Amino acid sequence: MDKLSITGGRRLEGEITVSGAKNAALPILCAGLLTADILALENVPRLNDIDTMLRLLGRMGARAERGAAHDVSLCAAEVDCLEAPYELVKTMRASILVLGPLVARYGQARVSLPGGCAIGQRPVDQHIKGLAALGADIQIEHGFVIARARRLKGASIRTDMVTVTGTENLMMAATLAEGTTVLENAAREPEVVDLAELLIKMGARISGHGTDRIVIEGVEKLHGASHRVVADRIEAGTFLCAVGATGGDVLLRQAAPETMGALLDKLQEAGLGLECGPDWIRCTMNQRPRAVGARTREYPGFPTDMQAQLMALDSIADGTAVIVENIFENRYMHVQELGRMGAQIDIDGHTAVVTGVPELSGANVMATDLRASASLVIAGLAARGATTIERIYHLDRGYERMEEKLRALGADIRRISDKGAA
């Protein structure tokens, strides 16, 4: 099992390219099930989760081909299996996103209840509620969601909570439904907007994406399209936090700063110097960071996917910060591992009080989920001495060649595998 070995204390300097967003690419790949034509996709990151989704689509009969760099050509003209089995779904919650497209185009689907990171309950009841409102007959049997419908019919749907994957699933399903669907309390995330823009290119009639009320007028069929996946705002934010923790001067190319407002505001409060263009961010840091608190919220609030990384930055900041996790009830598993490195963090329910220390010390730590992994990398880069991070398969689910990008910025970091260092 691969590990990361980091010797901390080096400033980060140089430039790197931000990858495409995993959380945009996954639903976009599922949207390929809505048409028999080809989707030509650019900027698809090379990640374990993407590979899992491509295997799942291939198992169904879709043909997916990776081209040069980050291109993917996807064709679902010959889908002959309408099931997403447990062995592929258990490691990736996003697999539930095949449910809406399959029911909409083929009239049935059998999808295993999903897995993913162990960061708390992420029920799929809102997906089921919405599809039932669209006229699907839904049964839960032996760990599978089984859905059937002759043709979905438009409906007004208000989810009980803001759910990104729920919004995406229902929006895809509604594109082929008869009549008009209105999604109230819809997620506003940039990844939802990116999916909607692709669907519109495919012939869908969608308005209101980017707001909490999305209107979809169903059409008879969708066609192929070309699309470039939006930049990963979480990857970009993770590298910015790393610069804040180590000091340095880094240029992020192919970034999307317009999607990162709440995070960029917090980092400026922490003392980072930020310059932004349409598709780039330059970050400079020449001082100890200032402690900044945050309360995670749905977009456009501070993202839960950046909570652990900000906490790593606050661990060595001047002052005390209060961080409140409002999205997931079990997303403080990185706290114990940061504590092994000398961080002073007290937890009370959903609230973490982080008292900055002058210096962290390297230690052997274990990644517990995707974003926890990133926080430990940041801590290791800033710490005195050597840090070894185990279970980095979590990291590989959401960060493309992270250690290579950090080495390009001057970090002393290497991957250790069963076959030796890389």
mmCIF file of all heavy atoms in Angstrom, residues 57-86:
data_model
loop_
_atom_site.group_PDB
_atom_site.id
_atom_site.type_symbol
_atom_site.label_atom_id
_atom_site.label_comp_id
_atom_site.label_asym_id
_atom_site.label_seq_id
_atom_site.Cartn_x
_atom_site.Cartn_y
_atom_site.Cartn_z
ATOM 1 N N LEU A 57 -19.232 2.353 -16.194
ATOM 2 C CA LEU A 57 -19.906 2.615 -17.465
ATOM 3 C C LEU A 57 -19.560 1.533 -18.492
ATOM 4 O O LEU A 57 -20.411 1.107 -19.274
ATOM 5 C CB LEU A 57 -19.530 4.002 -17.984
ATOM 6 C CG LEU A 57 -19.996 5.182 -17.109
ATOM 7 C CD1 LEU A 57 -19.407 6.488 -17.620
ATOM 8 C CD2 LEU A 57 -21.512 5.259 -17.069
ATOM 9 N N GLY A 58 -18.303 1.078 -18.486
ATOM 10 C CA GLY A 58 -17.921 0.000 -19.386
ATOM 11 C C GLY A 58 -18.637 -1.289 -19.065
ATOM 12 O O GLY A 58 -19.019 -2.044 -19.972
ATOM 13 N N ARG A 59 -18.835 -1.554 -17.782
ATOM 14 C CA ARG A 59 -19.579 -2.760 -17.365
ATOM 15 C C ARG A 59 -21.007 -2.722 -17.911
ATOM 16 O O ARG A 59 -21.583 -3.762 -18.224
ATOM 17 C CB ARG A 59 -19.576 -2.817 -15.833
ATOM 18 C CG ARG A 59 -20.444 -3.877 -15.194
ATOM 19 C CD ARG A 59 -19.705 -5.207 -15.073
ATOM 20 N NE ARG A 59 -20.440 -6.121 -14.207
ATOM 21 C CZ ARG A 59 -20.117 -6.418 -12.966
ATOM 22 N NH1 ARG A 59 -19.051 -5.862 -12.411
ATOM 23 N NH2 ARG A 59 -20.822 -7.270 -12.259
ATOM 24 N N MET A 60 -21.554 -1.527 -18.048
ATOM 25 C CA MET A 60 -22.918 -1.381 -18.562
ATOM 26 C C MET A 60 -22.986 -1.515 -20.081
ATOM 27 O O MET A 60 -24.079 -1.651 -20.632
ATOM 28 C CB MET A 60 -23.486 -0.019 -18.150
ATOM 29 C CG MET A 60 -23.707 0.115 -16.653
ATOM 30 S SD MET A 60 -24.279 1.776 -16.224
ATOM 31 C CE MET A 60 -24.588 1.543 -14.473
ATOM 32 N N GLY A 61 -21.851 -1.435 -20.728
ATOM 33 C CA GLY A 61 -21.833 -1.546 -22.184
ATOM 34 C C GLY A 61 -21.440 -0.272 -22.896
ATOM 35 O O GLY A 61 -21.336 -0.247 -24.132
ATOM 36 N N ALA A 62 -21.224 0.809 -22.137
ATOM 37 C CA ALA A 62 -20.765 2.052 -22.751
ATOM 38 C C ALA A 62 -19.304 1.897 -23.170
ATOM 39 O O ALA A 62 -18.546 1.149 -22.554
ATOM 40 C CB ALA A 62 -20.919 3.217 -21.781
ATOM 41 N N ARG A 63 -18.912 2.621 -24.203
ATOM 42 C CA ARG A 63 -17.541 2.570 -24.691
ATOM 43 C C ARG A 63 -16.844 3.879 -24.327
ATOM 44 O O ARG A 63 -17.249 4.959 -24.748
ATOM 45 C CB ARG A 63 -17.508 2.371 -26.202
ATOM 46 C CG ARG A 63 -16.093 2.120 -26.751
ATOM 47 C CD ARG A 63 -16.096 1.871 -28.247
ATOM 48 N NE ARG A 63 -16.365 3.091 -28.998
ATOM 49 C CZ ARG A 63 -17.497 3.379 -29.606
ATOM 50 N NH1 ARG A 63 -18.517 2.522 -29.540
ATOM 51 N NH2 ARG A 63 -17.646 4.502 -30.284
ATOM 52 N N ALA A 64 -15.821 3.772 -23.509
ATOM 53 C CA ALA A 64 -15.076 4.951 -23.079
ATOM 54 C C ALA A 64 -13.627 4.800 -23.495
ATOM 55 O O ALA A 64 -13.006 3.772 -23.234
ATOM 56 C CB ALA A 64 -15.182 5.129 -21.567
ATOM 57 N N GLU A 65 -13.087 5.826 -24.138
ATOM 58 C CA GLU A 65 -11.703 5.797 -24.590
ATOM 59 C C GLU A 65 -10.990 7.052 -24.108
ATOM 60 O O GLU A 65 -11.468 8.162 -24.319
ATOM 61 C CB GLU A 65 -11.640 5.724 -26.119
ATOM 62 C CG GLU A 65 -12.264 4.459 -26.701
ATOM 63 C CD GLU A 65 -12.238 4.467 -28.212
ATOM 64 O OE1 GLU A 65 -11.756 5.472 -28.797
ATOM 65 O OE2 GLU A 65 -12.710 3.486 -28.828
ATOM 66 N N ARG A 66 -9.857 6.842 -23.441
ATOM 67 C CA ARG A 66 -9.020 7.967 -23.041
ATOM 68 C C ARG A 66 -8.104 8.330 -24.199
ATOM 69 O O ARG A 66 -7.440 7.474 -24.774
ATOM 70 C CB ARG A 66 -8.184 7.615 -21.819
ATOM 71 C CG ARG A 66 -8.910 7.811 -20.488
ATOM 72 C CD ARG A 66 -7.900 7.888 -19.364
ATOM 73 N NE ARG A 66 -8.505 8.095 -18.068
ATOM 74 C CZ ARG A 66 -8.808 9.296 -17.573
ATOM 75 N NH1 ARG A 66 -8.577 10.374 -18.285
ATOM 76 N NH2 ARG A 66 -9.341 9.408 -16.367
ATOM 77 N N GLY A 67 -8.091 9.613 -24.528
ATOM 78 C CA GLY A 67 -7.216 10.075 -25.591
ATOM 79 C C GLY A 67 -5.958 10.691 -25.025
ATOM 80 O O GLY A 67 -5.528 10.376 -23.913
ATOM 81 N N ALA A 68 -5.361 11.590 -25.786
ATOM 82 C CA ALA A 68 -4.167 12.276 -25.331
ATOM 83 C C ALA A 68 -4.497 13.129 -24.119
ATOM 84 O O ALA A 68 -5.597 13.667 -23.988
ATOM 85 C CB ALA A 68 -3.622 13.144 -26.463
ATOM 86 N N ALA A 69 -3.521 13.226 -23.238
ATOM 87 C CA ALA A 69 -3.649 14.076 -22.049
ATOM 88 C C ALA A 69 -4.893 13.707 -21.256
ATOM 89 O O ALA A 69 -5.003 12.611 -20.733
ATOM 90 C CB ALA A 69 -3.641 15.550 -22.449
ATOM 91 N N HIS A 70 -5.871 14.607 -21.215
ATOM 92 C CA HIS A 70 -7.024 14.420 -20.335
ATOM 93 C C HIS A 70 -8.339 14.361 -21.111
ATOM 94 O O HIS A 70 -9.388 14.755 -20.607
ATOM 95 C CB HIS A 70 -7.072 15.540 -19.300
ATOM 96 C CG HIS A 70 -5.890 15.531 -18.369
ATOM 97 N ND1 HIS A 70 -4.710 16.154 -18.682
ATOM 98 C CD2 HIS A 70 -5.706 14.941 -17.167
ATOM 99 C CE1 HIS A 70 -3.848 15.966 -17.683
ATOM 100 N NE2 HIS A 70 -4.420 15.230 -16.767
ATOM 101 N N ASP A 71 -8.293 13.858 -22.339
ATOM 102 C CA ASP A 71 -9.497 13.731 -23.157
ATOM 103 C C ASP A 71 -10.151 12.366 -22.938
ATOM 104 O O ASP A 71 -9.469 11.358 -22.762
ATOM 105 C CB ASP A 71 -9.157 13.884 -24.638
ATOM 106 C CG ASP A 71 -8.597 15.258 -24.968
ATOM 107 O OD1 ASP A 71 -8.727 16.163 -24.130
ATOM 108 O OD2 ASP A 71 -8.023 15.417 -26.058
ATOM 109 N N VAL A 72 -11.476 12.356 -22.967
ATOM 110 C CA VAL A 72 -12.237 11.110 -22.896
ATOM 111 C C VAL A 72 -13.347 11.163 -23.937
ATOM 112 O O VAL A 72 -14.070 12.163 -24.039
ATOM 113 C CB VAL A 72 -12.862 10.884 -21.502
ATOM 114 C CG1 VAL A 72 -13.831 9.701 -21.521
ATOM 115 C CG2 VAL A 72 -11.776 10.641 -20.457
ATOM 116 N N SER A 73 -13.464 10.097 -24.714
ATOM 117 C CA SER A 73 -14.579 9.941 -25.653
ATOM 118 C C SER A 73 -15.493 8.863 -25.103
ATOM 119 O O SER A 73 -15.052 7.748 -24.820
ATOM 120 C CB SER A 73 -14.052 9.543 -27.037
ATOM 121 O OG SER A 73 -15.134 9.274 -27.919
ATOM 122 N N LEU A 74 -16.769 9.207 -24.945
ATOM 123 C CA LEU A 74 -17.719 8.289 -24.316
ATOM 124 C C LEU A 74 -18.920 8.083 -25.224
ATOM 125 O O LEU A 74 -19.502 9.049 -25.723
ATOM 126 C CB LEU A 74 -18.184 8.864 -22.972
ATOM 127 C CG LEU A 74 -19.196 8.047 -22.173
ATOM 128 C CD1 LEU A 74 -18.582 6.729 -21.728
ATOM 129 C CD2 LEU A 74 -19.675 8.841 -20.962
ATOM 130 N N CYS A 75 -19.285 6.816 -25.442
ATOM 131 C CA CYS A 75 -20.444 6.502 -26.268
ATOM 132 C C CYS A 75 -21.264 5.404 -25.595
ATOM 133 O O CYS A 75 -20.759 4.316 -25.324
ATOM 134 C CB CYS A 75 -20.017 6.047 -27.660
ATOM 135 S SG CYS A 75 -21.415 5.644 -28.749
ATOM 136 N N ALA A 76 -22.539 5.707 -25.323
ATOM 137 C CA ALA A 76 -23.433 4.751 -24.660
ATOM 138 C C ALA A 76 -24.502 4.260 -25.628
ATOM 139 O O ALA A 76 -25.676 4.136 -25.281
ATOM 140 C CB ALA A 76 -24.074 5.395 -23.433
ATOM 141 N N ALA A 77 -24.093 3.965 -26.865
ATOM 142 C CA ALA A 77 -25.051 3.506 -27.873
ATOM 143 C C ALA A 77 -25.473 2.063 -27.656
ATOM 144 O O ALA A 77 -26.547 1.647 -28.116
ATOM 145 C CB ALA A 77 -24.444 3.668 -29.273
ATOM 146 N N GLU A 78 -24.645 1.283 -26.961
ATOM 147 C CA GLU A 78 -24.923 -0.154 -26.843
ATOM 148 C C GLU A 78 -24.953 -0.611 -25.389
ATOM 149 O O GLU A 78 -24.408 -1.662 -25.043
ATOM 150 C CB GLU A 78 -23.863 -0.936 -27.630
ATOM 151 C CG GLU A 78 -23.858 -0.604 -29.125
ATOM 152 C CD GLU A 78 -22.775 -1.353 -29.882
ATOM 153 O OE1 GLU A 78 -22.031 -2.111 -29.240
ATOM 154 O OE2 GLU A 78 -22.691 -1.177 -31.112
ATOM 155 N N VAL A 79 -25.584 0.159 -24.536
ATOM 156 C CA VAL A 79 -25.726 -0.233 -23.131
ATOM 157 C C VAL A 79 -26.622 -1.468 -23.043
ATOM 158 O O VAL A 79 -27.740 -1.476 -23.565
ATOM 159 C CB VAL A 79 -26.300 0.928 -22.300
ATOM 160 C CG1 VAL A 79 -26.695 0.453 -20.908
ATOM 161 C CG2 VAL A 79 -25.281 2.065 -22.209
ATOM 162 N N ASP A 80 -26.131 -2.511 -22.389
ATOM 163 C CA ASP A 80 -26.906 -3.749 -22.298
ATOM 164 C C ASP A 80 -27.027 -4.261 -20.861
ATOM 165 O O ASP A 80 -27.545 -5.354 -20.628
ATOM 166 C CB ASP A 80 -26.292 -4.839 -23.181
ATOM 167 C CG ASP A 80 -24.821 -5.090 -22.864
ATOM 168 O OD1 ASP A 80 -24.316 -4.539 -21.860
ATOM 169 O OD2 ASP A 80 -24.173 -5.830 -23.622
ATOM 170 N N CYS A 81 -26.527 -3.483 -19.903
ATOM 171 C CA CYS A 81 -26.632 -3.855 -18.493
ATOM 172 C C CYS A 81 -27.031 -2.623 -17.710
ATOM 173 O O CYS A 81 -26.328 -1.601 -17.743
ATOM 174 C CB CYS A 81 -25.302 -4.414 -17.989
ATOM 175 S SG CYS A 81 -25.295 -4.766 -16.213
ATOM 176 N N LEU A 82 -28.167 -2.705 -17.031
ATOM 177 C CA LEU A 82 -28.711 -1.541 -16.318
ATOM 178 C C LEU A 82 -28.495 -1.654 -14.821
ATOM 179 O O LEU A 82 -29.284 -1.154 -14.023
ATOM 180 C CB LEU A 82 -30.210 -1.395 -16.637
ATOM 181 C CG LEU A 82 -30.542 -1.307 -18.129
ATOM 182 C CD1 LEU A 82 -32.049 -1.204 -18.335
ATOM 183 C CD2 LEU A 82 -29.827 -0.127 -18.780
ATOM 184 N N GLU A 83 -27.388 -2.281 -14.437
ATOM 185 C CA GLU A 83 -27.093 -2.491 -13.019
ATOM 186 C C GLU A 83 -25.732 -1.911 -12.659
ATOM 187 O O GLU A 83 -24.764 -2.051 -13.404
ATOM 188 C CB GLU A 83 -27.123 -3.983 -12.677
ATOM 189 C CG GLU A 83 -26.729 -4.278 -11.233
ATOM 190 C CD GLU A 83 -26.825 -5.741 -10.890
ATOM 191 O OE1 GLU A 83 -27.883 -6.350 -11.189
ATOM 192 O OE2 GLU A 83 -25.853 -6.302 -10.339
ATOM 193 N N ALA A 84 -25.667 -1.264 -11.498
ATOM 194 C CA ALA A 84 -24.402 -0.818 -10.926
ATOM 195 C C ALA A 84 -24.125 -1.677 -9.707
ATOM 196 O O ALA A 84 -24.763 -1.519 -8.671
ATOM 197 C CB ALA A 84 -24.481 0.660 -10.540
ATOM 198 N N PRO A 85 -23.179 -2.623 -9.805
ATOM 199 C CA PRO A 85 -22.985 -3.610 -8.741
ATOM 200 C C PRO A 85 -22.226 -3.049 -7.541
ATOM 201 O O PRO A 85 -21.489 -2.067 -7.644
ATOM 202 C CB PRO A 85 -22.177 -4.705 -9.438
ATOM 203 C CG PRO A 85 -21.405 -3.968 -10.483
ATOM 204 C CD PRO A 85 -22.300 -2.859 -10.959
ATOM 205 N N TYR A 86 -22.371 -3.740 -6.433
ATOM 206 C CA TYR A 86 -21.780 -3.300 -5.172
ATOM 207 C C TYR A 86 -20.263 -3.186 -5.261
ATOM 208 O O TYR A 86 -19.672 -2.250 -4.719
ATOM 209 C CB TYR A 86 -22.167 -4.271 -4.052
ATOM 210 C CG TYR A 86 -21.519 -3.958 -2.725
ATOM 211 C CD1 TYR A 86 -21.914 -2.838 -1.983
ATOM 212 C CD2 TYR A 86 -20.507 -4.761 -2.208
ATOM 213 C CE1 TYR A 86 -21.314 -2.539 -0.771
ATOM 214 C CE2 TYR A 86 -19.902 -4.471 -1.000
ATOM 215 C CZ TYR A 86 -20.312 -3.364 -0.276
ATOM 216 O OH TYR A 86 -19.713 -3.073 0.923
#
